[in-house]
Amino acid sequence: MVVDPILTVRDAHKHFGGVAALRGAGLTLYPGEIHGLLGENGAGKSTLLTTVAGVHRLDSGEIMFAGRPFEQGSTRRAREQGVAVIYQEPALFPDLTIAENVFVGRQPTRRGRVDWAGMRARTRELFARLGVYLDPDRRAAGLSIADQQLVEIVKALSTDATVIVMDEPTAALSATEAARLQSVARRLRDRGAAVVFVSHRLDEAFELCDRVTVLRDGATVAEAEIAATSPAEVVRWMVGRELTDLFPKVPSVPGEVLLDVAALTRQGVFEDVTFSVRRGEIVALAGLVGSGRSEVVRAVFGIDRYDSGSVRVGDAPLPPGDPRAALARRVALVPEDRRAQGLFMPASVARNVSVVVLDRLRRFGLVRPGAERAMARGWGERLRLRYSGADQPVERLSGGNQQKVVLAKWLATEPELLVIDEPTRGIDVGTKAEVHRMLSQRAAEGLAVLMVSSELLEVLGMADRILVMREGRLVAELSREEATQELVMLAATGQEVSA
Amino acid sequence: ADDSGGGSSPESGGAGDGKIKSGLKIAVIPKAVNNPYFDAAFTGAKKACQEIGATCDQTGPTEASGSAQVQFINTVVQQQYDALVISAADANSVIPALKQAQSAGITVVTYDADVADPSARSAMVRPTTSDLVGKALNKWVSDGIGSQGGEIAILSAAATAENQNAWIAVIKQDLANYPQLKLVDTVYGDDDAAKSAEKASGLLQSHPNLKGIISPTTVGIAATAQYLSGSQYKGKVALTGLGLPSQMKAYTKDGTVKTFGLWDPAMLGYLGVYAAANVASKIDIAGGFEAGGKKYTLEEKNQITVGPPQEFTAANIDSFSF
Amino acid sequence: MIRGVLARVTWDKIVPVLLLLTLVIGMQLEPRFGRGSTFAFIVQDIGEIMIIAFAMTLVIMTGEIDLSVASTAALASCVLGWAFERGIPIWIAVLLALVTGVLCGAVNGLLVTAFGLPSLAVTIGTLALFRGLCWALLGDEPVASYPESWTRLGSGRFPHTYIPYVAPLLIAGAIGYTVLLHATRTGRWIVAIGQSPEAATFAGIPVARVKLWLFVHCGLLSAVAGVVYTMRFASSRPDAAIGFELLVIAAVLFGGVSIFGGVGTMWGVISAVLFLGALRSLLLLQKVPPNALNIINGALLLASVVVPAVIAAIPRRRRRSSDPGVSQGHPTSNLPSLTS
Amino acid sequence: MTGRLLASREAPVALALVVVVVGTTLVNPRFLSAQGRTDLMVAIAITALMAVGQTFVILMKHVDLSVGSTLGLSAYLAATAVQDQQDGGVLTVLMVGLVVGVAVGVVNGALVAFLRLPALVVTLGTLYVVKGIQAVVVGPRRINADQLPGAVVDFGRDSVLGVPYILWLALLAGVAGAWFLRTVRTGRDLYAVGSNGPAARLVGIPVWRREMFAFVVSGATAGLAGALYLARFGGVDANAGSGYELPVVAACVVGGVAITGGVGTVIGALLGAALLKTIGVSLSALSVPEFWQQAVNGALLLLAIAVDKVIADRRLRQTTEVQEVPA
Ligand SMILES: Nc1ncnc2c1ncn2[C@@H]1O[C@H](COP(=O)(O)OP(=O)(O)OP(=O)(O)O)[C@@H](O)[C@H]1O
Ligand SMILES: Nc1ncnc2c1ncn2[C@@H]1O[C@H](COP(=O)(O)OP(=O)(O)OP(=O)(O)O)[C@@H](O)[C@H]1O
Ligand SMILES: [Mg+2]
Ligand SMILES: [Mg+2]
C-alpha cells in the first residue's frame, strides 16, 4: 500500500472502573476504504470508536491522525480534525428542527447571526444528495428510528470529514434502508474518505467492507483484506472457537392456538390485523421498519391501546391496555428499545431481572434479596452474561450483554407466549446463536413465540410461519417451507405475492 | 425554681423581699427579628436590664409566625432563663409552649401583642388600649379627608394579626360617630413592603372614590406612603395609621401623610422587662410596680398600658428618634 | 481498596453518621443537650416535617415532586377548624381534614397522571390554590377553641416520660416506610418508576396508578401533618405551615434522595430530618444567631450534593482519565422524548 | 407568516393577556387609566426581568430557585452603596445589583456545571445561604426612600414614552435575550443542551460553559431586579425578595418555557410574567373579595399551565402527522 494511513490506533488501553474495555486494541485506516470493525458484544468496539470521536481519553496508547498525534478527549476537536461519527444509537435533539439537528453547534452564521435560510437550504441539499426528503423545518421529535438514523448520516456528511465512523448504523434499519446506507458509505469511500463500519451482520460486512479488524476482549486479534478471509474465519477470530449451526432450529409440533388476534386496528398505525400463534410455534412478523410491527405487538401486550378488534389468549380475551393482565396470563414482551424500554440502567442486574417476578420472590410480602440474586446468577450463567456480579449496574454492561439481561428478565416470568421485538439487535454472532437455540428449544417444549425481526436470515431460519406487514397491514403469510428472502422482500416492499 | 409552677398570675408568686433580684436571665422574643420596630423595643429592654443588673438576650424567628416562635420558646426553657418577654406573632399558637415554660418555672410576660389565654402569661405590656388606637385612627383619617368625608379603606398587616384585628374592630364601631366616612374595604399586605404597595394600588383601582387609607402597621403605612408619594393620588388620598417616625419623615414633609401615630416601642420592651423581673423575683405586682421612677398599675387581665398613642405631624416629627 | 470503600460510601450512609456526631458533640458542648426534654422538643419540632417527608420521599423517588404539601396541610387544618367551629364533633372534623388531604392529593395526581402535566408546574399552581382556599375558608378568623384533651396530643408527652405523643406515630412511620420502600414490591416499583417510567410500563408496572396513589398518599400524610400541627399549636390558621414545602424537600434531598428519582433510601431521609432538627436545636442552645441558621441549612444542603460528587471524583482523578462528562459509551440515555 | 405567528406557543398567552386586560377594563375602566397603566407596568417589570434570566436556565432543563434571595441581597447592597447620597446613583445601583447577581450566578453555575450537581438542590441551597447572608447583613435595618438619592426613587416610578423606566429595562433585557437565543450560536446551544444533554456533549458543545453562562444570566437579571425593587419600593429590608422564586418559575411555565428543557422563548416568558401579574392586579380591580383572590389566582395559574400543555400536545401531534416518507 503506497498511501499513508489516515488514522492509526496503537496499543490502546482503557478502563472503566474495574472493567478493562480495551487492552491492546489497534486499528489502521486508509483513505478510500470501508473498514469493518467486528467483535463480540463487549469486545470494545464502541469504546475504541468513541475514543476516536473524542468522547474518552485512552489510559495509554497512541492515536495518530494524518501523521500527527490526535487530540483526544474533545468531541469538538475530533470533529475539527476531520472525524465524523454516527453513534450506535441516534442522538438527536427532539426539540430542534431537522436542519438545526444537522448543524447543531456549528450553525452557519452571517455576521455572527445564525443564517437560518442558508442552513435550511444546505440541509435540503444534503438530503437530496442522499436521495431522500425530510422537511428541514420539522422538529426531530417523533421521527422514526430509520429517519433519525438518516438525520445522523446527513449530519456526518455535512462535515466533509475524512474519517467517518458508523457504529452499528444498520442495527435499527431494515434491508432497504440498510442498502441505502451502504450505497452512501460506498459513495463516501469513492470520494476518498475512510469509513469505519461496525455490524454484527457478517453478510453485510462481507458485502460492504474492503478490510476488517477483529477485536476480542479489548484487543485486536486480526486484521485482514476481506477478500483474503471468510465469515467462518472471522467468527473464529471473534469468539476464539468454531461456531456451527447458526440457526439451530429444533423441529416442533405446533399445539392448540394460544394467541388469537382478530381484526386489530389502531387508526393510522395498523389496520385489520388478524393472525394466531400456536403453542410450540415460532411466528415471525417481518416487514420494513415503520411498517407497524412493533405497534401491533405493543398493542397485543397492552402497552398501547387499540381502537377495535380483539386479542385472545387461550380461551379468554385479554383486556386491552393492561400489561399486568397480560403478564398474569403468562404473556411476555421483550421490547425493541432495550435502553429505554427494557432496562433500569442504574439498577443492578439482579433488580432488573427480578422486577417482573417479584411476586415469586416474596415471603410474608417482603422481597428476599438472597433469592433475587441467586435467580439473577442463574440466568447470568444460562445466557453467558459477561458481568462482574449480580449487583453490577446494567449501565456498565455492553450493549449485547444488556440485551441478555432483558431476555433473562422476561424468560424468568416463565411465559407461555413470548413476544419478542428484535430479539438479537446488536447481539454478536455467538450470543445470537445461543439466543436462537434457546428460543427454538423453548418452542419445542411448547412455548409460543411471536417474533418481530428486521433480519431476514433470522426470520427465515427461525420461524415456522412468517407474517409480512406493510404500511400497517398484514400482506402475506408464508410457511417455513415456501418462504424465501425474495418472497418476503417482495411482500414487504409492495409487490403482491402470488404464491 | 419549681415552686412557681403553674404561676399564671403574679399573685401566686408569693411575697419576696420586695426587691428585684440581680443577675436575672431574661430572654426577649419578638414576632420576628430583623424588624426595626422590635429592634427599637429591644433597646428599651436592654436599658431596663442594665438598670436592674439582669442579662438580656433577644432571639426569635426570621419570619413572623407563632409556630416558628415555639422552637425559640422551647430553647429558652432548656437554657433555663428566669423570664421570657414575648410578643406573640399570633394569639394562639404559642399558648401550649408558654404554659410549658411556666410549668418549668419561667416567668412569662407578653409585650406588644398578647396571647388569647391570659393564664399563659403573668402580665401583658400593651402600648395603649385598642379603644384609644381605633378612635385616634378614625380621628386622623377624618381630619385628613376634611368635612366632606367619603370612602375609606384599611390596609392591615396579616389577616390573622390580633392587634390589628382588635383595632379594626374598634375602628368599625367608632365609625358610627363619623357618618360622613364609609369603610369600603379591608386588605392585607402581610407586613411585606412589596405586597403592601401592590395592595394599596389595588385599593385605589377598585375604589375610584377612595378618600382615605388607614394602615395600622408600620410596614404597611410606609409602603403605602411610598406608593402614594409617586402617584397621582398624592395629596388627594389621605393616609394615616401607625408608623415609625424615622421611616415616615420624608412622607410627612412632602405632604403625603399629614398625621399618623405610634408609641415609643422602647417603652414596651422596657416595661416588659420590669414586669417580668418583678414577677421572677417573686414580687407581687398586683398593686402595680415601679419602673424608671414611675409607677405602673395593672388593669383588667393583668395588663399594663404605656399610654395614649403619640401623634406625629410635620411639626413635631423631627424630635423623635425611633 | 480505598476506592472500593469510597465507591460504597453514599450520602444516605453519611447522614446517620452526621446525626450521631451531632448528638455526641452536642452533649460534650452542652450538657443540657443530653436531656430527655431536649429530645422531646426536637421530636416535636420535626414531627410534621417527618410525616410529610415519608410521603415526599416516595413521590420524589418516582421522579415527581409535590410543592403543595404545606398548603395541603394548612387546608386540612382550616377544614378541621371550620368544621369544628360549626359544631361538628371533633373526630369527624379530623376525618374531614384527612379527606381534604386525600382530595388535594388526588387533584395533583390526576393533573400529573391523567393530563400529563409536569408535577413541578402543577404543584406550584396547587400550592397557590390550596393556600387561597385556606384564606377563603377562614379569612381573618383563626379557630382556637380546641378542647385541651386534643391539643395535649399535639404538644404533650406521655405522663412521667419525655416521650411526646407524636413519637409512636413517627417511629411506626419510620419502620413502616423503610420496609415499604426497601423490601416490598410496591417499593421496588417506586424505585423502578423513578429510574425509567418507560421501562416500568413495559415491565407491567402500573406507572400512572402508582404515581396517582403516591400523590393521594402525599396529600393524606400532609393532612395528618396538618392535624398534628393544629393540635400542637392549638389553632387553625390560613397561614399555617407556610414555607414548609421547601423545608421538607430540602430534608428529603439532604437525606440523599435524587431529585431525578430512582435513587435514595428512607433511612437517609429519616436521619436527615432528625439531624437537621438536632443540629438546629444545638445551634440555638449555643446561641447561634437565628439569622445564621439559614446559611447553615443552605450550606448543609449544598454539602449533601457536593460531598458525594467529590468522593466520586477522587478515584477518577487518580486514574487521570478525565472524560469530558460522558460517563457511558452510550450517548442516548436521554432520548425518551423522541420515542414517547 | 401571520399563520406561523398565530400557531406559535406564545400566541395563546398573548391572547389570554389581551382578554384579561380588555375584560377587566370593560368592568373597571380605571384599570387602564394613566395611573392604572403605570401601576400595572411597574408591577410586571420585576417578575418579567427575572423571568428573562430564568428562561435561560429552564431551557437547559435546570431551574434557579435562588433568584428571590439574590434579589433581596442585591437590593440591600445596592441601597447601601448609594445611601445618603444626594443625587445620581441610578447607575451605581444597577451596577451593584448586577455584580451581586453575577456573583451568585457564578456560584450556582460552578456547582451545577463543574460538579454536575442537580440545579434544584444547588439553588435551593443557595436560596437559603443567600437569604441567610441577607438577614445577617441587613439585620433589623430598613433603608427608606429618604435615605436614597431622589434619582433612584424617581427611576422606580417615572416613565418615558408612557412606559416606566423599570419596565423598559425588563423589555430591553427581554429583547436582547430573545435575540440572543434566536440568532447567536451560543444561544442555540442552550436549546440543544436542554433538548438532549449527552448528545450536545457528543457534538462538541461545551456544556459546562453554557450552563455556567445560563446561571450567570439568571443571577444577573435577579441582581438587576434587586436594583429595580429598590427603586420601585423606595426601600429595602431583610425580607425583601422572599418568596419571589416560584412565581418567576410559574411565569416561565405559563409562557411556554418547558420545565423539561429545550422548548420556549424569552418573549413567552415575558408574556407569562405579564399575564400572571396582570391577573393578580385585575383581581383587585375587579373587586374579587380579598380572601378569595389567592384561590382564584391559583386556579387560573393551573388553568394556564393546563391550556399550555394542550396546545403543546396539539403542536406535537401536528408535526408527527405531517411526516414525510423518504422518497
Ligand atoms: N461507561 C462504562 N462504564 C463501565 N464499563 C463500560 C463502560 N462502557 C463500556 N464498558 C465496558 O467496556 C467493555 C466494552 O464495551 P463496548 O461498548 O466498547 O463493547 P462493544 O464492542 O461496542 O459491544 P456491543 O457490540 O455490545 O455494542 C464492556 O465490557 C463494557 O461493559
Ligand atoms: N418514536 C416514534 N415516535 C412517533 N412515531 C414513530 C416513532 N417510531 C416510529 N413511529 C411511527 O410509527 C409507525 C410504525 O413504526 P415502527 O418503527 O414501530 O415500525 P416497526 O415495523 O415496528 O419497525 P421496527 O420494529 O423494525 O423498528 C411508523 O409510521 C413510524 O413512522
Ligand atoms: Mg457497541
Ligand atoms: Mg419496531
Side-chain angles (χ1 to χ4, degrees):
Chain A
M1 193 86 56
V2 281
V3 208
D4 288 331
I6 175 86
L7 177 84
T8 36
V9 181
R10 245 177 254 128
D11 199 26
H13 287 259
K14 173 76 189 171
H15 289 255
F16 290 107
V19 185
L22 296 179
R23 36 186 160 191
L27 179 68
T28 309
L29 279 187
Y30 292 95
E33 71 164 345
I34 299 180
H35 193 109
L37 184 62
L38 306 176
E40 282 191 288
N41 294 134
K45 305 179 294 294
S46 296
T47 308
L48 182 60
L49 296 180
T50 44
T51 308
V52 174
V55 175
H56 309 293
R57 224 183 263 278
L58 291 179
D59 297 345
S60 67
E62 182 194 43
I63 307 181
M64 298 294 288
F65 192 92
R68 278 200 302 273
F70 176 79
E71 272 183 55
Q72 298 181 38
S74 157
T75 48
R76 181 175 286 263
R77 283 298 298 142
R79 195 181 62 216
E80 284 162 5
Q81 291 170 85
V83 179
V85 186
I86 299 168
Y87 291 97
Q88 188 160 358
E89 273 146 275
L92 297 188
F93 302 91
D95 304 306
L96 303 187
T97 63
I98 287 176
E100 217 181 345
N101 261 290
V102 171
F103 288 100
V104 66
R106 54 199 172 84
Q107 294 91 338
T109 54
R110 246 201 306 201
R111 277 178 277 121
R113 304 176 44 181
V114 172
D115 176 11
W116 289 92
M119 194 160 79
R120 242 172 260 140
R122 283 205 54 197
T123 309
R124 217 170 264 131
E125 189 189 313
L126 285 164
F127 274 112
R129 247 206 268 168
L130 261 184
V132 299
Y133 177 76
L134 280 178
D135 179 3
D137 284 333
R138 184 200 187 292
R139 295 198 314 149
L143 281 181
S144 70
I145 301 233
D147 288 348
Q148 292 178 37
Q149 199 66 269
L150 284 172
V151 176
E152 285 288 353
I153 292 164
V154 164
K155 194 159 138 187
L157 293 183
S158 71
T159 61
D160 291 317
T162 45
V163 170
I164 294 160
V165 170
M166 302 182 173
D167 193 353
E168 298 193 42
T170 53
L173 303 187
S174 67
T176 355
E177 282 109 354
R180 192 183 292 141
L181 181 89
Q182 288 169 13
S183 76
V184 173
R186 290 200 183 94
R187 245 182 289 164
L188 289 170
R189 171 190 61 192
D190 299 342
R191 227 180 54 198
V195 178
V196 186
F197 194 86
V198 179
S199 175
H200 288 294
R201 302 183 190 170
L202 282 188
D203 53 332
E204 184 181 59
F206 269 79
E207 200 184 310
L208 183 64
C209 299
D210 303 309
R211 291 192 315 129
V212 289
T213 294
V214 180
L215 284 183
R216 186 167 77 220
D217 294 335
T220 298
V221 291
E223 194 182 336
E225 297 281 329
I226 207 81
T229 181
S230 69
E233 191 181 23
V234 167
V235 168
R236 216 158 39 237
W237 285 330
M238 281 165 65
V239 298
R241 66 194 143 92
E242 200 83 33
L243 259 191
T244 53
D245 206 7
L246 229 53
F247 295 103
K249 172 81 181 143
V250 182
S252 67
V253 190
E256 84 270 27
V257 170
L258 182 63
L259 173 70
D260 190 16
V261 176
L264 206 63
T265 299
R266 185 174 177 197
Q267 293 302 310
V269 183
F270 50 81
E271 211 171 319
D272 196 21
V273 174
T274 304
F275 66 92
S276 62
V277 182
R278 297 165 177 277
R279 287 185 194 275
E281 190 185 30
I282 299 182
V283 174
L285 261 183
L288 302 184
V289 167
S291 57
R293 297 162 299 166
S294 297
E295 277 69 11
V296 169
V297 296
R298 284 163 55 131
V300 167
F301 187 64
I303 300 291
D304 295 340
R305 296 195 160 265
Y306 44 85
D307 299 320
S308 63
S310 71
V311 178
R312 297 177 70 87
V313 173
D315 305 328
L318 202 58
D322 186 357
R324 288 200 66 66
L327 272 172
R329 304 280 287 284
R330 296 201 170 253
V331 179
L333 170 66
V334 178
E336 68 179 321
D337 182 346
R338 60 171 169 264
R339 298 177 52 77
Q341 302 167 341
L343 293 171
F344 303 98
M345 299 306 286
S348 67
V349 172
R351 290 220 169 186
N352 267 286
V353 175
S354 71
V355 67
V356 276
V357 290
L358 286 171
D359 292 325
R360 276 200 271 126
L361 296 169
R362 288 191 297 178
R363 188 187 288 156
F364 311 123
L366 303 184
V367 178
R368 291 175 298 154
E372 189 179 23
R373 279 196 202 100
M375 188 188 74
R377 275 194 292 267
W379 280 105
E381 213 164 293
R382 252 177 283 180
L383 293 180
R384 299 207 202 155
L385 191 65
R386 276 199 203 191
Y387 67 141
S388 64
D391 289 331
Q392 184 180 18
V394 293
E395 64 194 353
R396 303 231 188 94
L397 298 177
S398 82
N401 282 306
Q402 289 174 353
Q403 182 73 1
K404 290 185 193 171
V405 175
V406 182
L407 280 174
K409 165 167 127 181
W410 289 105
L411 290 177
T413 62
E414 293 171 6
E416 288 179 358
L417 169 65
L418 180 67
V419 183
I420 185 162
D421 198 347
E422 307 289 2
T424 56
R425 172 180 294 174
I427 289 191
D428 62 64
V429 274
T431 319
K432 211 179 246 180
E434 283 168 44
V435 170
H436 289 151
R437 187 174 301 117
M438 172 161 343
L439 283 180
S440 92
Q441 227 160 44
R442 296 258 163 165
E445 292 159 20
L447 177 72
V449 178
L450 174 61
M451 173 177 93
V452 174
S453 174
S454 300
E455 214 177 316
L456 272 180
L457 288 178
E458 180 172 80
V459 168
L460 295 171
M462 294 294 299
D464 294 303
R465 264 189 310 138
I466 299 166
L467 309 171
V468 186
M469 278 189 79
R470 176 163 52 85
E471 290 169 10
R473 288 172 169 278
L474 272 185
V475 291
E477 176 170 346
L478 304 164
S479 70
R480 182 174 175 80
E481 291 70 37
E482 62 185 341
T484 63
Q485 291 208 28
E486 290 69 33
L487 279 178
V488 175
M489 279 320 292
L490 282 176
T493 52
Q495 278 83 0
E496 289 308 322
V497 186
S498 45
Chain B
D2 212 356
D3 49 355
S4 69
S8 53
S9 71
E11 292 80 12
S12 71
D17 57 3
K19 266 228 192 85
I20 292 177
K21 285 190 202 153
S22 72
L24 288 173
K25 274 172 70 188
I26 298 175
V28 179
I29 300 184
K31 286 184 185 177
V33 294
N34 306 335
N35 182 323
Y37 175 83
F38 287 108
D39 198 48
F42 186 56
T43 16
K46 277 191 292 198
K47 181 160 170 263
C49 286
Q50 229 162 30
E51 289 173 10
I52 61 175
T55 55
C56 204
D57 293 307
Q58 173 161 263
T59 182
T62 48
E63 263 143 67
S65 106
S67 50
Q69 282 183 312
V70 166
Q71 195 177 30
F72 291 88
I73 298 171
N74 291 345
T75 307
V76 164
V77 172
Q78 287 162 271
Q79 287 168 330
Q80 293 168 316
Y81 278 88
D82 298 295
L84 167 61
V85 182
I86 180 172
S87 169
D90 80 70
N92 303 299
S93 302
V94 291
I95 292 175
L98 290 183
K99 288 191 169 169
Q100 275 181 12
Q102 287 178 326
S103 58
I106 295 173
T107 300
V108 176
V109 168
T110 51
Y111 73 109
D112 175 63
D114 202 1
V115 289
D117 179 355
S119 73
R121 44 74 174 163
S122 303
M124 154 70 183
V125 179
R126 60 176 171 183
T128 173
T129 65
S130 299
D131 209 46
L132 286 176
V133 176
K135 285 181 174 157
L137 289 170
N138 277 347
K139 176 174 174 297
W140 293 331
V141 79
S142 164
D143 290 351
I145 294 172
S147 56
Q148 81 281 8
E151 294 181 356
I152 61 166
I154 297 172
L155 194 159
S156 181
T160 48
E162 305 304 322
N163 294 3
Q164 272 79 7
N165 286 349
W167 300 327
I168 291 170
V170 175
I171 289 175
K172 286 180 178 165
Q173 265 178 16
D174 183 56
L175 274 179
N177 302 325
Y178 298 89
Q180 78 278 22
L181 297 183
K182 182 161 172 276
L183 179 64
V184 291
D185 211 344
T186 305
V187 297
Y188 303 90
D190 290 338
D191 268 355
D192 175 276
K195 191 166 178 201
S196 301
E198 277 164 19
K199 286 290 176 186
S201 128
L203 270 182
L204 290 160
Q205 281 215 338
S206 46
H207 305 289
N209 300 319
L210 201 67
K211 287 287 180 308
I213 297 178
I214 302 174
S215 185
T217 154
T218 57
V219 179
I221 192 175
T224 310
Q226 164 65 16
Y227 169 72
L228 287 180
S229 69
S231 78
Q232 64 178 60
Y233 307 111
K234 177 176 167 180
K236 295 184 192 138
V237 174
L239 171 65
T240 188
L242 303 175
L244 286 166
S246 58
Q247 281 181 21
M248 300 296 293
K249 222 166 270 178
Y251 310 118
T252 315
K253 290 187 172 159
D254 75 5
T256 309
V257 178
K258 269 202 211 118
T259 319
F260 69 103
L262 197 69
W263 39 85
D264 184 356
M267 275 311 284
L268 294 171
Y270 185 77
L271 289 183
V273 165
Y274 263 101
N278 273 294
V279 179
S281 308
K282 313 253 182 305
I283 302 168
D284 185 355
I285 60 168
F289 65 93
E290 207 168 283
K294 232 178 117 189
K295 177 109 180 153
Y296 294 87
T297 52
L298 268 64
E299 299 147 33
E300 27 99 44
K301 296 190 204 154
N302 296 334
Q303 298 190 88
I304 302 140
T305 310
V306 172
Q310 171 70 47
E311 198 174 292
F312 307 111
T313 61
N316 72 354
I317 195 160
D318 282 326
S319 54
F320 296 93
S321 61
F322 56 89
Chain C
M1 178 60 211
I2 291 176
R3 216 183 56 212
V5 174
L6 278 179
R8 247 166 288 141
V9 176
T10 48
W11 182 256
D12 59 299
K13 291 173 190 144
I14 296 179
V15 183
V17 176
L18 288 179
L19 172 62
L20 273 180
L21 279 180
T22 312
L23 296 179
V24 171
I25 295 174
M27 285 181 222
Q28 297 298 318
L29 281 178
E30 178 71 67
R32 283 174 291 217
F33 193 67
R35 288 200 195 158
S37 60
T38 308
F39 160 78
F41 284 137
I42 293 175
V43 169
Q44 279 176 337
D45 273 332
I46 59 162
E48 298 91 5
I49 304 264
M50 180 81 97
I51 291 169
I52 303 178
F54 292 142
M56 183 71 85
T57 303
L58 302 183
V59 170
I60 296 184
M61 284 295 283
T62 64
E64 302 290 343
I65 197 163
D66 186 352
L67 290 172
S68 72
V69 286
S71 298
T72 303
L75 187 55
S77 171
C78 288
V79 166
L80 169 58
W82 181 86
F84 178 67
E85 215 175 33
R86 273 152 192 76
I88 294 173
I90 187 157
W91 59 272
I92 294 184
V94 167
L95 268 182
L96 282 177
L98 299 184
V99 169
T100 306
V102 167
L103 290 177
C104 290
V107 168
N108 286 330
L110 285 174
L111 285 172
V112 171
T113 59
F115 287 71
L117 296 171
S119 53
L120 184 71
V122 165
T123 56
I124 286 181
T126 50
L127 172 147
L129 175 62
F130 299 158
R131 182 67 69 180
L133 292 176
C134 292
W135 288 108
L137 206 59
L138 288 191
D140 57 357
E141 283 153 12
V143 177
S145 48
Y146 295 111
E148 183 151 351
S149 55
W150 279 77
T151 58
R152 207 180 320 120
L153 292 177
S155 54
R157 304 167 188 167
F158 285 103
H160 316 298
T161 66
Y162 285 118
I163 302 171
Y165 286 116
V166 289
L169 193 66
L170 298 185
I171 293 169
I175 296 171
Y177 284 105
T178 304
V179 170
L180 177 78
L181 181 58
H182 297 293
T184 68
R185 191 183 66 177
T186 312
R188 289 298 180 80
W189 281 3
I190 290 169
V191 176
I193 292 171
Q195 288 171 342
S196 169
E198 198 181 359
T201 308
F202 275 85
I205 299 172
V207 175
R209 212 172 65 207
V210 170
K211 283 188 177 175
L212 174 62
W213 282 112
L214 286 182
F215 275 104
V216 169
H217 170 258
C218 194
L220 176 65
L221 285 208
S222 301
V224 171
V227 172
V228 170
Y229 187 95
T230 309
M231 295 312 156
R232 182 149 82 98
F233 299 114
S235 60
S236 291
R237 345 169 23 87
D239 54 359
I242 230 157
F244 265 42
E245 61 276 345
L246 291 189
L247 292 182
V248 172
I249 290 168
V252 170
L253 297 178
F254 184 75
V257 175
S258 161
I259 188 70
F260 304 119
V263 178
T265 61
M266 195 54 86
W267 65 78
V269 172
I270 294 165
S271 317
V273 176
L274 286 171
F275 166 73
L276 293 173
L279 183 72
R280 188 177 164 87
S281 166
L282 178 62
L283 294 175
L284 285 178
L285 278 177
Q286 291 285 303
K287 298 194 182 170
V288 171
N291 279 337
L293 292 180
N294 270 331
I295 304 184
I296 293 170
N297 276 346
L300 283 170
L301 189 57
L302 289 177
S304 76
V305 284
V306 170
V307 171
V310 170
I311 290 178
I314 294 172
R316 228 194 298 146
R317 284 288 134 67
R318 196 166 302 166
R319 285 202 326 276
R320 293 191 315 115
S321 71
S322 51
D323 299 343
V326 178
S327 57
Q328 294 133 44
H330 309 284
T332 48
S333 60
N334 228 6
L335 221 58
S337 38
L338 262 179
T339 43
S340 57
Chain D
M1 192 60 219
T2 42
R4 189 181 284 183
L5 211 62
L6 285 179
S8 72
R9 266 180 88 119
E10 292 77 27
V13 190
L15 190 70
L17 183 60
V18 171
V19 168
V20 172
V21 170
V22 170
T24 311
T25 314
L26 287 180
V27 177
N28 180 353
R30 278 162 70 99
F31 188 64
L32 279 195
S33 68
Q35 186 66 44
R37 278 201 313 269
T38 312
D39 287 354
L40 180 62
M41 289 189 282
V42 165
I44 290 170
I46 293 175
T47 315
L49 179 56
M50 287 199 280
V52 171
Q54 188 74 245
T55 302
F56 280 62
V57 174
I58 296 184
L59 273 183
M60 303 193 76
K61 227 177 185 166
H62 294 306
V63 68
D64 186 354
L65 294 179
S66 68
V67 289
S69 306
T70 307
L71 179 150
L73 184 62
S74 75
Y76 185 78
L77 294 181
T80 48
V82 296
Q83 198 179 356
D84 297 326
Q85 283 177 18
Q86 280 318 301
D87 39 33
V90 174
L91 211 60
T92 321
V93 164
L94 292 177
M95 285 314 296
V96 173
L98 194 66
V99 168
V100 174
V102 167
V104 178
V106 166
V107 173
N108 285 331
L111 290 170
V112 173
F114 280 124
L115 290 177
R116 318 221 52 74
L117 303 177
L120 194 137
V121 187
V122 166
T123 57
L124 188 55
T126 47
L127 179 157
Y128 284 122
V129 171
V130 175
K131 191 181 190 158
I133 294 175
Q134 183 191 358
V136 168
V137 174
V138 182
R141 278 177 296 281
R142 188 191 148 79
I143 293 181
N144 299 306
D146 54 341
Q147 293 158 280
L148 296 172
V152 172
V153 180
D154 291 340
F155 179 70
R157 49 169 72 135
D158 288 354
S159 300
V160 56
L161 302 178
V163 174
Y165 284 117
I166 64 172
L167 185 62
W168 275 121
L169 201 70
L171 291 177
L172 204 71
V175 169
W179 178 83
F180 181 86
L181 287 178
R182 175 72 192 159
T183 64
V184 178
R185 252 193 219 162
T186 311
R188 302 309 301 167
D189 286 355
L190 303 197
Y191 285 91
V193 175
S195 192
N196 187 346
R201 223 164 268 135
L202 289 178
V203 299
I205 293 173
V207 173
W208 72 262
R209 258 191 275 165
R210 300 293 175 263
E211 286 176 335
M212 187 77 190
F213 172 74
F215 278 99
V216 168
V217 170
S218 175
T221 55
L224 276 180
L228 301 199
Y229 180 101
L230 178 69
R232 177 184 171 202
F233 297 113
V236 56
D237 58 24
N239 285 332
S242 104
Y244 270 50
E245 51 282 340
L246 293 186
V248 172
V249 177
C252 291
V253 171
V254 167
V257 185
I259 228 92
T260 42
V263 176
T265 63
V266 165
I267 300 300
L270 282 178
L271 287 170
L275 179 62
L276 289 190
K277 269 293 174 187
T278 307
I279 289 176
V281 173
S282 76
L283 293 182
S284 288
L286 292 173
S287 302
V288 173
E290 170 81 4
F291 290 129
W292 278 95
Q293 287 189 8
Q294 203 185 346
V296 174
N297 215 335
L300 289 176
L301 176 56
L302 275 178
L303 187 72
I305 295 168
V307 167
D308 176 66
K309 164 78 176 172
V310 170
I311 290 162
D313 280 358
R314 229 193 13 229
R315 251 165 52 100
L316 183 64
R317 213 168 322 130
Q318 277 163 359
T319 47
T320 16
E321 271 159 16
V322 289
Q323 187 168 8
E324 288 78 12
V325 187

